[in-house]
PDB file of all heavy atoms in Angstrom:
ATOM      1  N   ILE T 203      10.015   7.637   5.794  1.00 98.00           N
ATOM      2  CA  ILE T 203       9.156   8.811   5.973  1.00 98.00           C
ATOM      3  C   ILE T 203       9.190   9.695   4.732  1.00 98.00           C
ATOM      4  O   ILE T 203       8.144  10.162   4.243  1.00 98.00           O
ATOM      5  CB  ILE T 203       9.579   9.606   7.219  1.00 98.00           C
ATOM      6  CG1 ILE T 203       9.445   8.748   8.493  1.00 98.00           C
ATOM      7  CG2 ILE T 203       8.759  10.880   7.344  1.00 98.00           C
ATOM      8  CD1 ILE T 203       8.046   8.295   8.817  1.00 98.00           C
ATOM      9  N   ILE T 207       6.074  10.672   2.169  1.00 98.00           N
ATOM     10  CA  ILE T 207       5.669  12.035   1.814  1.00 98.00           C
ATOM     11  C   ILE T 207       5.547  12.161   0.294  1.00 98.00           C
ATOM     12  O   ILE T 207       4.573  12.728  -0.227  1.00 98.00           O
ATOM     13  CB  ILE T 207       6.672  13.049   2.384  1.00 98.00           C
ATOM     14  CG1 ILE T 207       6.562  13.085   3.915  1.00 98.00           C
ATOM     15  CG2 ILE T 207       6.440  14.438   1.798  1.00 98.00           C
ATOM     16  CD1 ILE T 207       7.687  13.844   4.588  1.00 98.00           C
ATOM     17  N   ASN T 216      -2.680  15.523   1.495  1.00 98.00           N
ATOM     18  CA  ASN T 216      -1.978  16.750   1.880  1.00 98.00           C
ATOM     19  C   ASN T 216      -1.637  16.866   3.360  1.00 98.00           C
ATOM     20  O   ASN T 216      -1.136  17.904   3.793  1.00 98.00           O
ATOM     21  CB  ASN T 216      -2.789  17.974   1.445  1.00 98.00           C
ATOM     22  CG  ASN T 216      -4.115  18.111   2.184  1.00 98.00           C
ATOM     23  OD1 ASN T 216      -4.478  17.273   3.010  1.00 98.00           O
ATOM     24  ND2 ASN T 216      -4.859  19.167   1.881  1.00 98.00           N
ATOM     25  N   THR T 217      -1.879  15.808   4.160  1.00 98.00           N
ATOM     26  CA  THR T 217      -1.637  15.903   5.601  1.00 98.00           C
ATOM     27  C   THR T 217      -1.027  14.599   6.110  1.00 98.00           C
ATOM     28  O   THR T 217      -1.605  13.528   5.903  1.00 98.00           O
ATOM     29  CB  THR T 217      -2.944  16.185   6.365  1.00 98.00           C
ATOM     30  OG1 THR T 217      -3.584  17.334   5.801  1.00 98.00           O
ATOM     31  CG2 THR T 217      -2.670  16.436   7.830  1.00 98.00           C
ATOM     32  N   PHE T 218       0.120  14.700   6.777  1.00 98.00           N
ATOM     33  CA  PHE T 218       0.805  13.535   7.335  1.00 98.00           C
ATOM     34  C   PHE T 218       0.943  13.764   8.837  1.00 98.00           C
ATOM     35  O   PHE T 218       1.732  14.590   9.288  1.00 98.00           O
ATOM     36  CB  PHE T 218       2.168  13.391   6.681  1.00 98.00           C
ATOM     37  CG  PHE T 218       2.839  12.051   6.884  1.00 98.00           C
ATOM     38  CD1 PHE T 218       2.202  10.996   7.527  1.00 98.00           C
ATOM     39  CD2 PHE T 218       4.124  11.839   6.406  1.00 98.00           C
ATOM     40  CE1 PHE T 218       2.807   9.771   7.689  1.00 98.00           C
ATOM     41  CE2 PHE T 218       4.761  10.616   6.566  1.00 98.00           C
ATOM     42  CZ  PHE T 218       4.111   9.583   7.204  1.00 98.00           C
ATOM     43  N   HIS T 219       0.166  13.029   9.618  1.00 98.00           N
ATOM     44  CA  HIS T 219       0.149  13.135  11.076  1.00 98.00           C
ATOM     45  C   HIS T 219       1.113  12.087  11.636  1.00 98.00           C
ATOM     46  O   HIS T 219       0.882  10.884  11.502  1.00 98.00           O
ATOM     47  CB  HIS T 219      -1.280  12.891  11.559  1.00 98.00           C
ATOM     48  CG  HIS T 219      -1.451  12.866  13.038  1.00 98.00           C
ATOM     49  ND1 HIS T 219      -2.690  13.003  13.636  1.00 98.00           N
ATOM     50  CD2 HIS T 219      -0.584  12.702  14.068  1.00 98.00           C
ATOM     51  CE1 HIS T 219      -2.567  12.913  14.943  1.00 98.00           C
ATOM     52  NE2 HIS T 219      -1.292  12.730  15.223  1.00 98.00           N
ATOM     53  N   LEU T 220       2.185  12.555  12.276  1.00 98.00           N
ATOM     54  CA  LEU T 220       3.175  11.657  12.861  1.00 98.00           C
ATOM     55  C   LEU T 220       3.018  11.641  14.383  1.00 98.00           C
ATOM     56  O   LEU T 220       3.207  12.657  15.054  1.00 98.00           O
ATOM     57  CB  LEU T 220       4.581  12.098  12.477  1.00 98.00           C
ATOM     58  CG  LEU T 220       4.955  11.868  11.004  1.00 98.00           C
ATOM     59  CD1 LEU T 220       6.301  12.498  10.689  1.00 98.00           C
ATOM     60  CD2 LEU T 220       4.979  10.386  10.670  1.00 98.00           C
ATOM     61  N   TRP T 263      14.439  16.106  10.319  1.00 98.00           N
ATOM     62  CA  TRP T 263      13.129  16.747  10.255  1.00 98.00           C
ATOM     63  C   TRP T 263      13.095  17.828   9.173  1.00 98.00           C
ATOM     64  O   TRP T 263      12.097  17.983   8.475  1.00 98.00           O
ATOM     65  CB  TRP T 263      12.739  17.324  11.607  1.00 98.00           C
ATOM     66  CG  TRP T 263      11.269  17.613  11.652  1.00 98.00           C
ATOM     67  CD1 TRP T 263      10.655  18.776  11.291  1.00 98.00           C
ATOM     68  CD2 TRP T 263      10.230  16.696  11.996  1.00 98.00           C
ATOM     69  NE1 TRP T 263       9.294  18.651  11.408  1.00 98.00           N
ATOM     70  CE2 TRP T 263       8.998  17.381  11.839  1.00 98.00           C
ATOM     71  CE3 TRP T 263      10.215  15.385  12.436  1.00 98.00           C
ATOM     72  CZ2 TRP T 263       7.775  16.782  12.102  1.00 98.00           C
ATOM     73  CZ3 TRP T 263       8.992  14.787  12.710  1.00 98.00           C
ATOM     74  CH2 TRP T 263       7.792  15.483  12.537  1.00 98.00           C
ATOM     75  N   GLY T 265      14.638  17.677   6.458  1.00 98.00           N
ATOM     76  CA  GLY T 265      14.446  16.925   5.219  1.00 98.00           C
ATOM     77  C   GLY T 265      12.996  16.569   5.002  1.00 98.00           C
ATOM     78  O   GLY T 265      12.485  16.655   3.864  1.00 98.00           O
ATOM     79  N   PHE T 266      12.285  16.171   6.076  1.00 98.00           N
ATOM     80  CA  PHE T 266      10.859  15.869   5.947  1.00 98.00           C
ATOM     81  C   PHE T 266      10.086  17.119   5.517  1.00 98.00           C
ATOM     82  O   PHE T 266       9.215  17.057   4.638  1.00 98.00           O
ATOM     83  CB  PHE T 266      10.288  15.361   7.272  1.00 98.00           C
ATOM     84  CG  PHE T 266      10.937  14.123   7.823  1.00 98.00           C
ATOM     85  CD1 PHE T 266      10.826  13.808   9.176  1.00 98.00           C
ATOM     86  CD2 PHE T 266      11.669  13.266   7.011  1.00 98.00           C
ATOM     87  CE1 PHE T 266      11.415  12.679   9.699  1.00 98.00           C
ATOM     88  CE2 PHE T 266      12.267  12.124   7.532  1.00 98.00           C
ATOM     89  CZ  PHE T 266      12.139  11.838   8.876  1.00 98.00           C
ATOM     90  N   GLU T 267      10.398  18.233   6.152  1.00 98.00           N
ATOM     91  CA  GLU T 267       9.673  19.463   5.837  1.00 98.00           C
ATOM     92  C   GLU T 267       9.956  19.927   4.406  1.00 98.00           C
ATOM     93  O   GLU T 267       9.062  20.433   3.719  1.00 98.00           O
ATOM     94  CB  GLU T 267      10.038  20.563   6.837  1.00 98.00           C
ATOM     95  CG  GLU T 267       9.607  20.293   8.270  1.00 98.00           C
ATOM     96  CD  GLU T 267       8.116  20.476   8.516  1.00 98.00           C
ATOM     97  OE1 GLU T 267       7.362  20.736   7.555  1.00 98.00           O
ATOM     98  OE2 GLU T 267       7.690  20.374   9.694  1.00 98.00           O
ATOM     99  N   ASN T 268      11.188  19.758   3.947  1.00 98.00           N
ATOM    100  CA  ASN T 268      11.498  20.121   2.561  1.00 98.00           C
ATOM    101  C   ASN T 268      10.721  19.250   1.586  1.00 98.00           C
ATOM    102  O   ASN T 268      10.180  19.739   0.586  1.00 98.00           O
ATOM    103  CB  ASN T 268      13.001  19.973   2.307  1.00 98.00           C
ATOM    104  CG  ASN T 268      13.825  21.019   3.028  1.00 98.00           C
ATOM    105  OD1 ASN T 268      13.312  22.075   3.403  1.00 98.00           O
ATOM    106  ND2 ASN T 268      15.103  20.739   3.237  1.00 98.00           N
ATOM    107  N   ALA T 269      10.667  17.951   1.870  1.00 98.00           N
ATOM    108  CA  ALA T 269       9.907  17.053   1.011  1.00 98.00           C
ATOM    109  C   ALA T 269       8.426  17.394   1.054  1.00 98.00           C
ATOM    110  O   ALA T 269       7.736  17.352   0.026  1.00 98.00           O
ATOM    111  CB  ALA T 269      10.137  15.603   1.429  1.00 98.00           C
ATOM    112  N   ALA T 270       7.920  17.717   2.240  1.00 98.00           N
ATOM    113  CA  ALA T 270       6.505  18.073   2.370  1.00 98.00           C
ATOM    114  C   ALA T 270       6.184  19.316   1.551  1.00 98.00           C
ATOM    115  O   ALA T 270       5.159  19.370   0.852  1.00 98.00           O
ATOM    116  CB  ALA T 270       6.160  18.292   3.839  1.00 98.00           C
ATOM    117  N   LEU T 275       2.294  19.314   0.944  1.00 98.00           N
ATOM    118  CA  LEU T 275       1.807  18.525   2.077  1.00 98.00           C
ATOM    119  C   LEU T 275       2.258  19.191   3.370  1.00 98.00           C
ATOM    120  O   LEU T 275       3.321  19.798   3.427  1.00 98.00           O
ATOM    121  CB  LEU T 275       2.358  17.105   1.975  1.00 98.00           C
ATOM    122  CG  LEU T 275       2.006  16.078   3.040  1.00 98.00           C
ATOM    123  CD1 LEU T 275       1.860  14.699   2.389  1.00 98.00           C
ATOM    124  CD2 LEU T 275       3.098  15.998   4.103  1.00 98.00           C
ATOM    125  N   THR T 276       1.444  19.087   4.412  1.00 98.00           N
ATOM    126  CA  THR T 276       1.833  19.580   5.727  1.00 98.00           C
ATOM    127  C   THR T 276       1.947  18.408   6.695  1.00 98.00           C
ATOM    128  O   THR T 276       1.208  17.425   6.600  1.00 98.00           O
ATOM    129  CB  THR T 276       0.821  20.597   6.281  1.00 98.00           C
ATOM    130  OG1 THR T 276      -0.457  19.968   6.405  1.00 98.00           O
ATOM    131  CG2 THR T 276       0.714  21.798   5.366  1.00 98.00           C
ATOM    132  N   ILE T 277       2.892  18.528   7.609  1.00 98.00           N
ATOM    133  CA  ILE T 277       3.107  17.508   8.634  1.00 98.00           C
ATOM    134  C   ILE T 277       2.498  17.995   9.937  1.00 98.00           C
ATOM    135  O   ILE T 277       2.710  19.138  10.341  1.00 98.00           O
ATOM    136  CB  ILE T 277       4.611  17.237   8.825  1.00 98.00           C
ATOM    137  CG1 ILE T 277       5.242  16.753   7.514  1.00 98.00           C
ATOM    138  CG2 ILE T 277       4.832  16.215   9.931  1.00 98.00           C
ATOM    139  CD1 ILE T 277       6.753  16.622   7.579  1.00 98.00           C
ATOM    140  N   ILE T 278       1.718  17.120  10.581  1.00 98.00           N
ATOM    141  CA  ILE T 278       1.196  17.399  11.920  1.00 98.00           C
ATOM    142  C   ILE T 278       1.990  16.563  12.914  1.00 98.00           C
ATOM    143  O   ILE T 278       1.848  15.340  12.963  1.00 98.00           O
ATOM    144  CB  ILE T 278      -0.297  17.067  12.039  1.00 98.00           C
ATOM    145  CG1 ILE T 278      -1.132  17.939  11.097  1.00 98.00           C
ATOM    146  CG2 ILE T 278      -0.771  17.231  13.478  1.00 98.00           C
ATOM    147  CD1 ILE T 278      -2.615  17.624  11.136  1.00 98.00           C
ATOM    148  N   PRO T 279       2.863  17.177  13.720  1.00 98.00           N
ATOM    149  CA  PRO T 279       3.566  16.432  14.758  1.00 98.00           C
ATOM    150  C   PRO T 279       2.702  16.317  16.007  1.00 98.00           C
ATOM    151  O   PRO T 279       2.002  17.268  16.377  1.00 98.00           O
ATOM    152  CB  PRO T 279       4.816  17.280  15.022  1.00 98.00           C
ATOM    153  CG  PRO T 279       4.425  18.660  14.616  1.00 98.00           C
ATOM    154  CD  PRO T 279       3.297  18.577  13.639  1.00 98.00           C
ATOM    155  N   PHE T 329       8.995  22.811  13.323  1.00 98.00           N
ATOM    156  CA  PHE T 329       7.803  22.468  12.560  1.00 98.00           C
ATOM    157  C   PHE T 329       7.335  23.646  11.711  1.00 98.00           C
ATOM    158  O   PHE T 329       7.132  24.745  12.225  1.00 98.00           O
ATOM    159  CB  PHE T 329       6.683  22.035  13.512  1.00 98.00           C
ATOM    160  CG  PHE T 329       7.097  20.977  14.509  1.00 98.00           C
ATOM    161  CD1 PHE T 329       6.653  21.037  15.824  1.00 98.00           C
ATOM    162  CD2 PHE T 329       7.937  19.935  14.137  1.00 98.00           C
ATOM    163  CE1 PHE T 329       7.035  20.077  16.749  1.00 98.00           C
ATOM    164  CE2 PHE T 329       8.330  18.973  15.060  1.00 98.00           C
ATOM    165  CZ  PHE T 329       7.878  19.041  16.375  1.00 98.00           C
ATOM    166  N   ARG T 330       7.121  23.392  10.425  1.00 98.00           N
ATOM    167  CA  ARG T 330       6.704  24.452   9.504  1.00 98.00           C
ATOM    168  C   ARG T 330       5.200  24.451   9.255  1.00 98.00           C
ATOM    169  O   ARG T 330       4.665  25.413   8.722  1.00 98.00           O
ATOM    170  CB  ARG T 330       7.439  24.307   8.177  1.00 98.00           C
ATOM    171  CG  ARG T 330       8.951  24.337   8.306  1.00 98.00           C
ATOM    172  CD  ARG T 330       9.619  24.185   6.953  1.00 98.00           C
ATOM    173  NE  ARG T 330      11.011  23.752   7.094  1.00 98.00           N
ATOM    174  CZ  ARG T 330      11.778  23.359   6.088  1.00 98.00           C
ATOM    175  NH1 ARG T 330      11.288  23.372   4.851  1.00 98.00           N
ATOM    176  NH2 ARG T 330      13.017  22.956   6.301  1.00 98.00           N
ATOM    177  N   GLY T 331       4.533  23.377   9.571  1.00 98.00           N
ATOM    178  CA  GLY T 331       3.101  23.308   9.340  1.00 98.00           C
ATOM    179  C   GLY T 331       2.334  24.131  10.355  1.00 98.00           C
ATOM    180  O   GLY T 331       2.866  24.535  11.397  1.00 98.00           O
ATOM    181  N   PRO T 332       1.050  24.373  10.094  1.00 98.00           N
ATOM    182  CA  PRO T 332       0.268  25.261  10.964  1.00 98.00           C
ATOM    183  C   PRO T 332      -0.271  24.599  12.219  1.00 98.00           C
ATOM    184  O   PRO T 332      -0.790  25.293  13.094  1.00 98.00           O
ATOM    185  CB  PRO T 332      -0.881  25.693  10.050  1.00 98.00           C
ATOM    186  CG  PRO T 332      -1.075  24.538   9.122  1.00 98.00           C
ATOM    187  CD  PRO T 332       0.301  23.979   8.874  1.00 98.00           C
ATOM    188  N   THR T 333      -0.173  23.273  12.345  1.00 98.00           N
ATOM    189  CA  THR T 333      -0.877  22.564  13.422  1.00 98.00           C
ATOM    190  C   THR T 333       0.092  21.795  14.302  1.00 98.00           C
ATOM    191  O   THR T 333       1.037  21.172  13.806  1.00 98.00           O
ATOM    192  CB  THR T 333      -1.918  21.596  12.830  1.00 98.00           C
ATOM    193  OG1 THR T 333      -2.829  22.323  12.009  1.00 98.00           O
ATOM    194  CG2 THR T 333      -2.677  20.859  13.914  1.00 98.00           C
ATOM    195  N   LEU T 334      -0.161  21.812  15.607  1.00 98.00           N
ATOM    196  CA  LEU T 334       0.546  20.986  16.581  1.00 98.00           C
ATOM    197  C   LEU T 334      -0.490  20.187  17.367  1.00 98.00           C
ATOM    198  O   LEU T 334      -1.482  20.745  17.837  1.00 98.00           O
ATOM    199  CB  LEU T 334       1.347  21.867  17.535  1.00 98.00           C
ATOM    200  CG  LEU T 334       2.870  21.853  17.409  1.00 98.00           C
ATOM    201  CD1 LEU T 334       3.493  22.895  18.327  1.00 98.00           C
ATOM    202  CD2 LEU T 334       3.415  20.479  17.750  1.00 98.00           C
TER     203      LEU T 334
END
Side-chain angles (χ1 to χ4, degrees):
I203 299 297
I207 291 169
N216 66 358
T217 307
F218 195 5
H219 176 163
L220 289 173
W263 197 270
F266 301 159
E267 295 285 5
N268 290 339
L275 180 144
T276 61
I277 300 173
I278 297 178
F329 309 140
R330 302 180 200 170
T333 303
L334 251 174

